[in-house]
């Protein structure tokens, strides 16, 4: 509730400023808080999560590893896909073995603080660790531990990873956030990465 109240205060203050500012000023405010990162839809509604999400760039992996940085044996595998095809028909997913990692930069501002995706353990359980890194124009880093969770051998939506504190701690002028996925045990497959613009409560 504190997060939502704080975010609401920021958005209300911004709206008030934009209402009285000129076009250039309003554009600057919009640029600072983020926005315009993609069309949002409640794609996780079948799982009781009615928040709106936008699809991350190549979040489906249908363009191979484009937009992603892979290491430690992480690869884009095919043919495989999460079975609900939330982002449309596809046949690719990210495969990360134990010790491997993958990262992607996504558009964000104070209004872009949550992510969710589909994940499965290949041949058994897998433990996934998520970190969020934001970098200012001067190279200053803000790092958030997004948490660790264990997934089973069947495709399922991940827990919602909140990046609000990383967004609030990021230096002014930050316009991108890097999501880092590391597998600590087992082998995991990840597909259809979405971003929740407002971290709405499910």
């Amino acid at each position: 509730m504190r997060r939502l109240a704080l975010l609401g205060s920021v958005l209300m203050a911004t709206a008030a400023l934009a209402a009285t500012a000129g076009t250039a000023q309003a554009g600057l405010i919009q640029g600072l808080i983020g926005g315009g990162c993609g069309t949002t839809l409640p794609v996780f509604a079948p799982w009781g999560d009615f928040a709106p999400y936008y699809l991350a760039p190549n979040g489906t992996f249908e363009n191979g590893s484009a937009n992603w940085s892979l290491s430690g044996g992480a690869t884009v595998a095919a043919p495989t896909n999460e079975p609900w095809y939330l982002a449309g028909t596809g046949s690719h997913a990210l495969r990360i073995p134990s010790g491997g990692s993958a990262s992607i930069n996504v558009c964000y501002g104070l209004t872009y603080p949550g992510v969710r995706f589909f994940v499965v353990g290949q041949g058994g359980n897998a433990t996934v660790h998520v970190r969020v890194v934001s970098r200012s124009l001067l190279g200053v880093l803000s790092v958030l531990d997004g948490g660790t969770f264990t997934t089973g051998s069947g495709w399922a939506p991940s827990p919602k990873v909140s990046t609000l504190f990383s967004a609030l701690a990021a230096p002014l002028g930050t316009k991108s956030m890097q999501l880092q996925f590391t597998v600590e045990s087992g082998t995991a497959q990840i597909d259809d990465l979405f971003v929740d613009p407002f971290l709405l409560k499910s």
Side-chain angles (χ1 to χ4, degrees):
M1 294 299 294
R2 281 185 174 181
R3 301 179 193 175
L4 291 176
L6 177 59
L7 182 57
S9 297
V10 171
L11 293 176
M12 288 177 64
T14 300
L17 286 172
T20 58
T23 302
Q25 291 173 310
L28 174 61
I29 293 169
Q30 177 69 9
L32 291 176
I33 69 168
C37 294
T39 301
T40 59
L41 292 170
V43 292
F44 289 99
W47 294 271
D49 179 357
F50 296 95
Y53 291 81
Y54 77 84
L55 181 66
N58 194 29
T60 63
F61 304 99
E62 296 307 309
N63 292 320
S65 61
N67 299 103
W68 290 82
S69 295
L70 310 180
S71 63
T75 60
V76 175
T80 183
N81 203 86
E82 58 86 0
W84 295 278
Y85 300 100
L86 257 65
T89 302
S91 59
H92 295 74
L94 177 64
R95 179 184 179 276
I96 310 178
S98 179
S101 65
S103 60
I104 182 175
N105 290 325
V106 296
C107 172
Y108 98 105
L110 288 181
T111 56
Y112 284 82
V115 297
R116 203 169 185 187
F117 49 94
F118 285 88
V119 62
V120 64
Q122 184 174 317
N125 291 346
T127 301
V128 180
H129 182 197
V130 182
R131 287 202 317 160
V132 184
V133 179
S134 56
R135 185 185 299 270
S136 75
L137 297 177
L138 298 178
V140 179
L141 290 177
S142 171
V143 181
L144 170 73
D145 186 344
T148 301
F149 65 92
T150 299
T151 183
S153 57
W155 281 103
S158 73
K160 182 178 287 188
V161 177
S162 168
T163 63
L164 177 61
F165 291 132
S166 183
L168 293 175
L172 194 65
T174 302
K175 282 303 295 176
S176 69
M177 175 180 291
Q178 185 181 75
L179 305 176
Q180 299 178 347
F181 304 88
T182 302
V183 173
E184 298 182 347
S185 66
T187 297
Q189 289 190 13
I190 292 174
D191 199 13
D192 290 359
L193 173 66
F194 288 90
V195 180
D196 169 8
F198 302 105
L199 191 60
L200 296 183
K201 185 176 180 180
S202 302

